[in-house]
């Protein structure tokens, strides 16, 4: 018997299955749903600037604005959000003390949100880049190197604070070694047995994070300095799999690949080798590419956004972080 062989024509007409809408839907291998989405938000102090250069239609929200916004997105069915702080310059320091202040911007945001929307899953970024003067995710020693073990102690304090405020998903995005283990141990020690860790385990040293750093206010501080002593080189894929497996052993409940669109091979590889849920982060630079090309009418906005998200899902992602999550959820509802 010959299968899938053009010589079998006319018995094998691939187009039969594509011939009308209902049938196409019936045989669809992947379907995007609102349950897949995480919408990222930048949080600001009330008297800080809301506008973000370069990320059109994305702004920084004060806590009270964010509460209103959450009314809208929960009506669209979005169940999860990720929070990133824009910290005032004066609060940044060499040792990032503000990161573990239990009254900092994110702690206050978690408390207000979980009071008003107890069902919404708040995912909190654990990294120091919003709080350091260097714009790096770790603390820099006198020799100019990032002190890994000192940094992860701070990260674990930060994680416990967030959990204490009501955060159910802690997301370390710093790529320091051993941070998942020490965060997990500290959570257990403090009685937070049910707090999930979503580890940014495959975080590549990508050039597509630039607009995000602007939103966070860390771009100028970082200057030309690179994060390549901790983030993974985009030349590599085995290394990403190794990091994922290690983070799962250290206690991660979910893992992540970031960025998403140019890294679908990585998502697929990890999907085939790991059993935990995988998140993919369609990052700020990916957002800008689609956004600006569609503003110039070079591509159709809605169609390209939905295609990009569906392809991320097809590659094996269970969860998708995307600045388009709100738009997509609204379209899927219609
Ligand atoms: C912080 C962090 C970054 C992003 C998420 N968490 C930036 C970075 O590592 O420099 C990027 C997200 C985006 O570009 O949308 N560690």
């Amino acid at each position: 018997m010959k299968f899938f062989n053009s010589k079998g024509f006319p018995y094998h007409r691939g187009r039969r299955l594509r011939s009308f809408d209902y049938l196409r839907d019936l045989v669809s291998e992947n379907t995007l749903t609102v349950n897949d989405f995480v919408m990222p938000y930048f949080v600001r102090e009330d008297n800080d600037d809301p506008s973000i250069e370069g990320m059109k239609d994305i702004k920084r929200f004060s806590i009270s604005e964010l509460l209103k916004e959450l009314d809208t997105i929960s009506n669209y069915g979005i169940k999860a959000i990720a929070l990133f702080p824009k910290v005032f310059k004066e609060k940044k320091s060499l040792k990032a003390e503000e990161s573990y202040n239990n009254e900092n911007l994110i702690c206050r945001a978690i408390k207000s949100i979980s009071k008003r929307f107890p069902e919404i899953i708040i995912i909190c970024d654990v990294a120091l880049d919003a709080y350091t003067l260097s714009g790096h995710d770790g603390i820099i020693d006198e020799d100019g190197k990032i002190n890994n073990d000192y940094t992860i102690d701070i990260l674990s304090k930060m994680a416990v604070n967030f959990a204490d405020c009501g955060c159910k998903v802690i997301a370390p995005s710093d790529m320091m070694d051993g941070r998942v283990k020490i965060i997990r141990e500290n959570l257990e020690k403090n009685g937070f047995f049910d707090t999930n860790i979503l580890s940014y385990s495959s975080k590549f040293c990508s050039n597509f994070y630039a607009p995000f750093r602007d939103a966070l206010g860390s771009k100028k501080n970082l200057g030309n300095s690179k994060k390549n002593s901790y983030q993974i080189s985009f030349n590599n894929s085995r290394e990403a799999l190794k990091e994922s497996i290690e983070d799962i052993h250290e206690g991660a409940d979910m893992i992540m690949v970031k960025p998403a669109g140019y890294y679908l091979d990585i998502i697929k590889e990890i999907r085939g080798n790991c059993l935990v849920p995988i998140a993919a982060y369609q990052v700020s630079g990916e957002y800008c590419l689609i956004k600006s090309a569609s503003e110039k009418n070079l591509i159709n906005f809605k169609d390209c956004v939905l295609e990009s998200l569906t392809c991320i899902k097809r590659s094996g992602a269970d969860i998708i972080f995307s600045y388009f999550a709100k738009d997509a959820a609204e379209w899927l509802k219609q």
Side-chain angles (χ1 to χ4, degrees), residues 260-274:
Y262 292 111
Y263 294 79
L264 301 183
D265 58 323
I266 309 281
I267 299 173
K268 190 163 185 200
E269 180 78 15
I270 294 176
R271 169 79 299 148
N273 286 285
C274 298

Side-chain angles (χ1 to χ4, degrees), residues 182-214:
I182 204 155
I183 289 172
R184 173 61 74 211
E185 282 172 353
N186 219 6
L187 288 171
E188 291 276 319
K189 205 163 75 197
N190 285 279
F192 297 111
F193 308 117
D194 294 332
T195 307
N196 284 271
I197 298 178
L198 193 179
S199 173
Y200 284 61
S201 44
S202 301
K203 182 163 179 181
F204 287 87
C205 190
S206 171
N207 299 294
F208 289 93
Y209 305 149
F212 171 97
R213 289 177 187 163
D214 193 32

Side-chain angles (χ1 to χ4, degrees), residues 129 137 173 203 209 212-213 227 231 258 283-284 323:
D129 53 338
D137 294 28
S173 71
K203 182 163 179 181
Y209 305 149
F212 171 97
R213 289 177 187 163
K227 298 194 174 185
Q231 299 181 347
K258 180 184 170 197
V283 300
S284 54
Y323 302 95

